Amino acid sequence: MKIGMITDSLGDLSFDEMLRASAELGLQTLEFACGNWSSAPHIDLQAMLANAATRKEFVAKIRDHGLTIAAFNCSGNPLHPGPQGKVHHSVTQDTIRLAGLMEIDRVVMMSGLPGGPGDANPNWIITDWPPECLKIQRYQWEERIIPYWRDLVAFSNNAGIHKLCLELHGHQAVYNVQTLFKLRDAVGETVGANYDPSHPLWMGADPIAAIRALGSTIYYVHAKDTRIEPITAAIDGTLDPRPPNLYAERAWNYITLGYGHGETWWRQFCTALKQVGYDDVLSIEHEDMMLTPMEGMRKSVALLRNVAINLS
Protein backbone atom coordinates (compact mmCIF):
# COMPACT_ATOMS: atom_id res chain seq x y z
CA MET A 1 0.00 0.00 0.00
CA LYS A 2 1.09 3.57 -0.69
CA ILE A 3 1.18 6.12 2.12
CA GLY A 4 -0.29 9.45 1.08
CA MET A 5 -1.96 12.52 2.52
CA ILE A 6 -4.77 14.90 1.76
CA THR A 7 -2.75 18.07 1.59
CA ASP A 8 -5.18 20.04 3.77
CA SER A 9 -3.46 18.15 6.61
CA LEU A 10 -0.61 20.67 6.11
CA GLY A 11 -2.89 23.45 4.95
CA ASP A 12 -0.90 26.15 6.74
CA LEU A 13 2.07 25.55 4.42
CA SER A 14 2.51 26.96 0.95
CA PHE A 15 2.47 24.59 -2.02
CA ASP A 16 6.27 24.41 -2.21
CA GLU A 17 6.63 24.06 1.58
CA MET A 18 4.02 21.31 1.59
CA LEU A 19 5.87 19.40 -1.13
CA ARG A 20 9.16 19.63 0.79
CA ALA A 21 7.45 18.48 3.99
CA SER A 22 5.76 15.59 2.17
CA ALA A 23 9.08 14.41 0.79
CA GLU A 24 10.66 14.74 4.24
CA LEU A 25 7.86 12.65 5.73
CA GLY A 26 8.49 9.93 3.14
CA LEU A 27 5.05 10.16 1.55
CA GLN A 28 4.51 8.63 -1.87
CA THR A 29 1.37 10.33 -3.15
CA LEU A 30 -0.90 13.32 -2.51
CA GLU A 31 -4.62 14.06 -2.60
CA PHE A 32 -5.49 17.66 -3.44
CA ALA A 33 -8.67 19.34 -2.22
CA CYS A 34 -10.02 21.59 -4.97
CA GLY A 35 -12.63 23.60 -3.07
CA ASN A 36 -16.09 23.47 -1.49
CA TRP A 37 -15.50 22.79 2.22
CA SER A 38 -11.76 23.10 1.71
CA SER A 39 -10.10 26.43 1.06
CA ALA A 40 -8.00 24.56 -1.54
CA PRO A 41 -4.71 25.85 -0.12
CA HIS A 42 -2.52 24.05 -2.67
CA ILE A 43 -4.40 24.22 -5.96
CA ASP A 44 -6.07 26.94 -8.03
CA LEU A 45 -8.88 25.04 -9.69
CA GLN A 46 -9.79 27.67 -12.29
CA ALA A 47 -6.19 28.37 -13.24
CA MET A 48 -5.54 24.66 -13.67
CA LEU A 49 -8.61 24.25 -15.86
CA ALA A 50 -7.70 27.23 -18.02
CA ASN A 51 -4.09 26.49 -18.86
CA ALA A 52 -2.28 23.31 -19.89
CA ALA A 53 1.09 24.89 -19.03
CA THR A 54 -0.12 25.51 -15.46
CA ARG A 55 -1.15 21.86 -15.16
CA LYS A 56 2.19 20.71 -16.55
CA GLU A 57 4.16 22.87 -14.10
CA PHE A 58 2.00 21.61 -11.20
CA VAL A 59 2.72 17.97 -12.04
CA ALA A 60 6.43 18.65 -12.62
CA LYS A 61 6.88 20.19 -9.17
CA ILE A 62 5.18 17.20 -7.57
CA ARG A 63 7.35 14.75 -9.51
CA ASP A 64 10.49 16.70 -8.61
CA HIS A 65 9.81 15.75 -4.98
CA GLY A 66 9.34 12.06 -5.81
CA LEU A 67 5.56 12.26 -5.41
CA THR A 68 2.48 11.51 -7.49
CA ILE A 69 -1.16 12.67 -7.46
CA ALA A 70 -3.49 10.09 -5.93
CA ALA A 71 -6.82 11.88 -6.29
CA PHE A 72 -8.65 15.19 -6.33
CA ASN A 73 -11.16 16.01 -3.59
CA CYS A 74 -14.24 18.25 -3.82
CA SER A 75 -16.11 17.32 -0.64
CA GLY A 76 -19.07 19.63 -0.18
CA ASN A 77 -22.84 19.64 -0.46
CA PRO A 78 -24.03 20.09 -4.05
CA LEU A 79 -27.51 19.04 -2.86
CA HIS A 80 -27.84 21.92 -0.39
CA PRO A 81 -31.27 23.52 -0.99
CA GLY A 82 -29.84 27.06 -0.73
CA PRO A 83 -27.41 29.01 -2.95
CA GLN A 84 -24.48 27.05 -1.52
CA GLY A 85 -25.71 23.97 -3.36
CA LYS A 86 -25.24 25.59 -6.79
CA VAL A 87 -21.76 26.80 -5.87
CA HIS A 88 -20.72 23.36 -4.62
CA HIS A 89 -22.21 21.70 -7.69
CA SER A 90 -20.12 23.96 -9.93
CA VAL A 91 -16.90 23.16 -8.03
CA THR A 92 -17.76 19.46 -8.14
CA GLN A 93 -18.16 19.52 -11.90
CA ASP A 94 -14.98 21.54 -12.36
CA THR A 95 -13.02 19.11 -10.19
CA ILE A 96 -14.26 16.20 -12.27
CA ARG A 97 -13.31 18.08 -15.44
CA LEU A 98 -9.80 18.70 -14.09
CA ALA A 99 -9.37 15.07 -13.11
CA GLY A 100 -10.33 14.08 -16.65
CA LEU A 101 -7.88 16.54 -18.20
CA MET A 102 -5.06 15.28 -15.98
CA GLU A 103 -5.96 11.58 -16.23
CA ILE A 104 -6.49 11.27 -12.48
CA ASP A 105 -8.89 8.35 -12.21
CA ARG A 106 -10.54 9.16 -8.86
CA VAL A 107 -12.46 12.06 -7.38
CA VAL A 108 -13.08 11.94 -3.63
CA MET A 109 -16.23 13.62 -2.36
CA MET A 110 -19.34 13.24 -0.24
CA SER A 111 -22.87 12.45 -1.34
CA GLY A 112 -24.38 15.75 -0.28
CA LEU A 113 -27.64 16.09 1.63
CA PRO A 114 -30.83 17.88 0.57
CA GLY A 115 -33.53 19.32 2.78
CA GLY A 116 -37.10 18.18 2.94
CA PRO A 117 -39.82 19.88 0.88
CA GLY A 118 -39.49 23.64 1.41
CA ASP A 119 -36.45 23.39 3.71
CA ALA A 120 -33.78 26.09 3.59
CA ASN A 121 -31.10 23.78 5.02
CA PRO A 122 -30.12 20.10 4.76
CA ASN A 123 -32.06 17.66 6.91
CA TRP A 124 -30.29 14.49 8.09
CA ILE A 125 -32.94 11.86 8.82
CA ILE A 126 -31.53 9.06 10.99
CA THR A 127 -34.68 7.85 12.74
CA ASP A 128 -37.99 6.50 11.46
CA TRP A 129 -40.10 8.48 13.96
CA PRO A 130 -42.01 10.83 14.16
CA PRO A 131 -43.96 9.72 11.08
CA GLU A 132 -42.86 12.64 8.90
CA CYS A 133 -39.26 11.37 9.01
CA LEU A 134 -39.88 8.59 6.50
CA LYS A 135 -41.86 10.93 4.24
CA ILE A 136 -39.00 13.43 4.22
CA GLN A 137 -36.45 10.70 3.55
CA ARG A 138 -38.53 9.29 0.69
CA TYR A 139 -38.72 12.75 -0.88
CA GLN A 140 -34.97 13.29 -0.47
CA TRP A 141 -34.00 10.03 -2.17
CA GLU A 142 -36.63 9.86 -4.89
CA GLU A 143 -36.86 13.55 -5.82
CA ARG A 144 -33.37 14.90 -5.11
CA ILE A 145 -30.56 12.42 -4.38
CA ILE A 146 -31.03 9.74 -7.03
CA PRO A 147 -31.86 12.15 -9.91
CA TYR A 148 -28.87 14.34 -9.04
CA TRP A 149 -26.48 11.43 -8.86
CA ARG A 150 -27.70 9.87 -12.10
CA ASP A 151 -26.84 13.13 -13.83
CA LEU A 152 -23.49 13.48 -12.04
CA VAL A 153 -22.45 9.91 -12.91
CA ALA A 154 -23.26 10.59 -16.58
CA PHE A 155 -21.29 13.85 -16.44
CA SER A 156 -18.36 12.09 -14.77
CA ASN A 157 -18.30 9.23 -17.25
CA ASN A 158 -18.37 11.69 -20.16
CA ALA A 159 -15.31 13.37 -18.62
CA GLY A 160 -13.53 10.01 -18.42
CA ILE A 161 -13.89 9.58 -14.66
CA HIS A 162 -15.35 6.26 -13.54
CA LYS A 163 -14.60 6.36 -9.81
CA LEU A 164 -16.44 8.81 -7.58
CA CYS A 165 -15.29 7.92 -4.07
CA LEU A 166 -17.89 8.84 -1.45
CA GLU A 167 -16.80 9.38 2.13
CA LEU A 168 -19.30 7.82 4.54
CA HIS A 169 -19.81 10.87 6.74
CA GLY A 170 -22.40 12.17 9.18
CA HIS A 171 -24.92 14.77 7.95
CA GLN A 172 -24.74 13.24 4.46
CA ALA A 173 -27.26 11.13 2.57
CA VAL A 174 -24.59 8.42 2.26
CA TYR A 175 -23.15 7.86 5.73
CA ASN A 176 -22.90 4.08 6.13
CA VAL A 177 -22.62 0.86 4.15
CA GLN A 178 -26.38 0.50 3.62
CA THR A 179 -26.83 3.99 2.18
CA LEU A 180 -23.79 3.62 -0.08
CA PHE A 181 -25.26 0.47 -1.61
CA LYS A 182 -28.66 2.18 -1.88
CA LEU A 183 -27.15 4.93 -4.05
CA ARG A 184 -24.86 2.60 -5.99
CA ASP A 185 -27.75 0.26 -6.80
CA ALA A 186 -29.68 3.23 -8.18
CA VAL A 187 -26.95 4.96 -10.20
CA GLY A 188 -24.30 2.37 -10.98
CA GLU A 189 -20.74 1.35 -10.25
CA THR A 190 -19.15 4.75 -10.83
CA VAL A 191 -20.10 5.34 -7.18
CA GLY A 192 -17.87 3.63 -4.65
CA ALA A 193 -16.50 4.30 -1.18
CA ASN A 194 -13.75 6.48 0.14
CA TYR A 195 -13.54 4.49 3.33
CA ASP A 196 -12.54 6.65 6.30
CA PRO A 197 -12.83 4.65 9.54
CA SER A 198 -12.96 7.73 11.77
CA HIS A 199 -16.62 8.43 10.97
CA PRO A 200 -18.14 4.95 11.39
CA LEU A 201 -16.20 4.66 14.66
CA TRP A 202 -18.14 7.50 16.32
CA MET A 203 -21.38 6.26 14.74
CA GLY A 204 -20.93 2.87 16.42
CA ALA A 205 -19.89 0.72 13.45
CA ASP A 206 -16.97 -1.69 13.19
CA PRO A 207 -14.79 -0.53 10.26
CA ILE A 208 -13.23 -3.95 9.77
CA ALA A 209 -16.64 -5.60 9.45
CA ALA A 210 -17.71 -2.79 7.11
CA ILE A 211 -14.68 -3.34 4.88
CA ARG A 212 -15.70 -6.96 4.40
CA ALA A 213 -19.22 -5.86 3.48
CA LEU A 214 -18.03 -3.17 1.07
CA GLY A 215 -15.50 -5.40 -0.67
CA SER A 216 -14.59 -4.20 -4.16
CA THR A 217 -16.72 -1.06 -3.81
CA ILE A 218 -13.84 0.50 -1.84
CA TYR A 219 -12.14 2.82 -4.34
CA TYR A 220 -10.04 4.88 -1.92
CA VAL A 221 -9.14 5.04 1.78
CA HIS A 222 -8.58 7.87 4.23
CA ALA A 223 -6.41 7.03 7.22
CA LYS A 224 -7.86 8.89 10.19
CA ASP A 225 -8.53 7.72 13.73
CA THR A 226 -11.22 8.51 16.29
CA ARG A 227 -10.97 8.12 20.05
CA ILE A 228 -14.19 7.59 21.98
CA GLU A 229 -13.89 9.40 25.32
CA PRO A 230 -15.37 6.74 27.61
CA ILE A 231 -16.73 8.80 30.51
CA THR A 232 -18.46 11.46 28.42
CA ALA A 233 -19.72 8.90 25.91
CA ALA A 234 -21.10 6.75 28.71
CA ILE A 235 -23.06 9.72 30.04
CA ASP A 236 -24.19 11.45 26.83
CA GLY A 237 -23.71 8.91 24.04
CA THR A 238 -21.74 9.77 20.91
CA LEU A 239 -24.18 12.18 19.23
CA ASP A 240 -22.13 15.23 20.15
CA PRO A 241 -22.38 18.66 18.45
CA ARG A 242 -19.73 20.34 20.62
CA PRO A 243 -17.04 21.93 18.40
CA PRO A 244 -13.65 20.20 18.04
CA ASN A 245 -11.72 22.84 19.98
CA LEU A 246 -13.64 21.70 23.08
CA TYR A 247 -11.92 18.32 22.85
CA ALA A 248 -11.68 17.93 26.63
CA GLU A 249 -15.49 18.02 26.84
CA ARG A 250 -16.48 15.97 23.79
CA ALA A 251 -17.64 12.35 23.69
CA TRP A 252 -15.26 11.58 20.82
CA ASN A 253 -12.39 13.25 18.99
CA TYR A 254 -10.50 12.86 15.74
CA ILE A 255 -7.03 11.84 16.77
CA THR A 256 -3.59 11.04 15.33
CA LEU A 257 -3.21 7.46 14.11
CA GLY A 258 -2.43 5.17 17.01
CA TYR A 259 -3.91 7.41 19.70
CA GLY A 260 -7.41 6.03 19.31
CA HIS A 261 -6.56 2.54 18.05
CA GLY A 262 -3.14 0.96 18.28
CA GLU A 263 -0.87 -0.54 15.67
CA THR A 264 -2.45 -3.97 16.01
CA TRP A 265 -5.88 -2.57 15.07
CA TRP A 266 -4.46 -0.71 12.08
CA ARG A 267 -2.73 -3.88 10.93
CA GLN A 268 -6.08 -5.67 11.09
CA PHE A 269 -7.66 -2.78 9.19
CA CYS A 270 -5.07 -2.95 6.39
CA THR A 271 -5.23 -6.75 6.29
CA ALA A 272 -8.99 -6.56 5.81
CA LEU A 273 -8.48 -4.10 2.95
CA LYS A 274 -6.00 -6.40 1.24
CA GLN A 275 -8.32 -9.37 1.70
CA VAL A 276 -11.07 -7.61 -0.27
CA GLY A 277 -8.61 -6.59 -2.98
CA TYR A 278 -7.68 -3.04 -1.96
CA ASP A 279 -3.90 -2.60 -2.10
CA ASP A 280 -3.66 1.09 -2.89
CA VAL A 281 -3.43 4.50 -1.21
CA LEU A 282 -3.84 5.15 2.52
CA SER A 283 -4.37 8.92 2.50
CA ILE A 284 -3.68 10.39 5.94
CA GLU A 285 -6.06 13.13 7.05
CA HIS A 286 -4.76 14.98 10.11
CA GLU A 287 -7.50 16.67 12.14
CA ASP A 288 -6.13 16.17 15.66
CA MET A 289 -6.57 19.37 17.69
CA MET A 290 -4.04 18.22 20.30
CA LEU A 291 -0.94 17.82 18.09
CA THR A 292 0.63 20.13 15.54
CA PRO A 293 0.08 19.03 11.94
CA MET A 294 3.72 18.01 11.34
CA GLU A 295 3.96 16.13 14.63
CA GLY A 296 0.70 14.33 13.93
CA MET A 297 1.76 13.51 10.38
CA ARG A 298 5.12 12.12 11.52
CA LYS A 299 3.46 9.84 14.04
CA SER A 300 0.81 8.72 11.54
CA VAL A 301 3.36 7.96 8.81
CA ALA A 302 5.52 6.01 11.27
CA LEU A 303 2.55 3.87 12.33
CA LEU A 304 1.47 3.11 8.76
CA ARG A 305 5.03 2.33 7.74
CA ASN A 306 5.31 -0.21 10.56
CA VAL A 307 1.98 -1.71 9.55
CA ALA A 308 3.04 -1.94 5.90
CA ILE A 309 6.35 -3.59 6.79
CA ASN A 310 4.58 -6.18 8.90
CA LEU A 311 2.07 -6.88 6.10
CA SER A 312 4.68 -7.35 3.39
Side-chain angles (χ1 to χ4, degrees), residues 65-302:
H65 289 82
L67 297 157
T68 62
I69 302 172
F72 289 138
N73 186 310
C74 58
S75 292
N77 189 2
L79 285 165
H80 195 293
Q84 176 181 311
K86 293 181 180 179
V87 174
H88 283 203
H89 172 64
S90 178
V91 171
T92 297
Q93 286 193 320
D94 284 347
T95 302
I96 291 168
R97 285 192 188 100
L98 181 62
L101 287 171
M102 298 184 66
E103 299 183 343
I104 305 301
D105 66 350
R106 291 175 288 206
V107 172
V108 179
M109 56 188 299
M110 297 182 195
S111 66
L113 180 68
D119 284 349
N121 290 289
N123 191 345
W124 190 31
I125 303 295
I126 51 171
T127 176
D128 67 335
W129 192 90
E132 64 265 23
C133 288
L134 293 182
K135 292 181 181 178
I136 295 168
Q137 191 177 66
R138 190 176 304 113
Y139 163 83
Q140 289 177 318
W141 279 90
E142 294 177 4
E143 302 295 326
R144 298 286 289 117
I145 297 163
I146 290 173
Y148 177 84
W149 273 92
R150 281 182 176 148
D151 289 345
L152 190 65
V153 163
F155 176 88
S156 179
N157 291 166
N158 287 336
I161 303 302
H162 300 281
K163 289 184 177 180
L164 298 177
C165 316
L166 272 58
E167 188 166 342
L168 312 186
H169 196 292
H171 204 69
Q172 297 293 302
V174 172
Y175 62 92
N176 61 12
V177 172
Q178 181 263 329
T179 48
L180 179 79
F181 279 120
K182 182 175 181 177
L183 183 60
R184 183 179 164 94
D185 289 345
V187 306
E189 295 182 359
T190 297
V191 167
N194 165 40
Y195 199 70
D196 180 336
S198 67
H199 309 302
L201 282 168
W202 72 258
M203 287 188 274
D206 177 351
I208 295 171
I211 286 168
R212 300 189 189 285
L214 288 166
S216 62
T217 68
I218 298 174
Y219 292 167
Y220 198 68
V221 171
H222 273 177
K224 189 169 77 174
D225 205 349
T226 289
R227 182 174 65 216
I228 306 298
E229 309 296 352
I231 294 175
T232 307
I235 295 168
D236 289 335
T238 54
L239 301 179
D240 193 338
R242 283 169 283 203
N245 61 303
L246 300 180
Y247 51 80
E249 302 172 25
R250 285 170 53 90
W252 58 271
N253 289 290
Y254 296 133
I255 202 77
T256 297
L257 301 192
Y259 283 67
H261 296 77
E263 192 173 300
T264 297
W265 187 91
W266 281 98
R267 192 172 301 118
Q268 292 170 343
F269 178 82
C270 292
T271 298
L273 288 170
K274 292 192 78 169
Q275 286 174 339
V276 299
Y278 186 88
D279 192 10
D280 207 331
V281 177
L282 302 171
S283 185
I284 299 167
E285 186 177 23
H286 177 83
E287 292 187 356
D288 185 343
M289 300 291 290
M290 290 175 271
L291 289 179
T292 65
M294 275 301 291
E295 184 179 4
M297 282 299 305
R298 286 193 181 97
K299 292 179 183 297
S300 295
V301 170

Side-chain angles (χ1 to χ4, degrees), residues 15 32-35 39-51 54-55 58 72 94-95 98 102:
F15 178 65
F32 288 88
C34 295
S39 64
H42 302 120
I43 194 168
D44 184 331
L45 180 58
Q46 297 308 316
M48 292 278 282
L49 283 168
N51 194 306
T54 301
R55 298 193 295 270
F58 182 81
F72 289 138
D94 284 347
T95 302
L98 181 62
M102 298 184 66

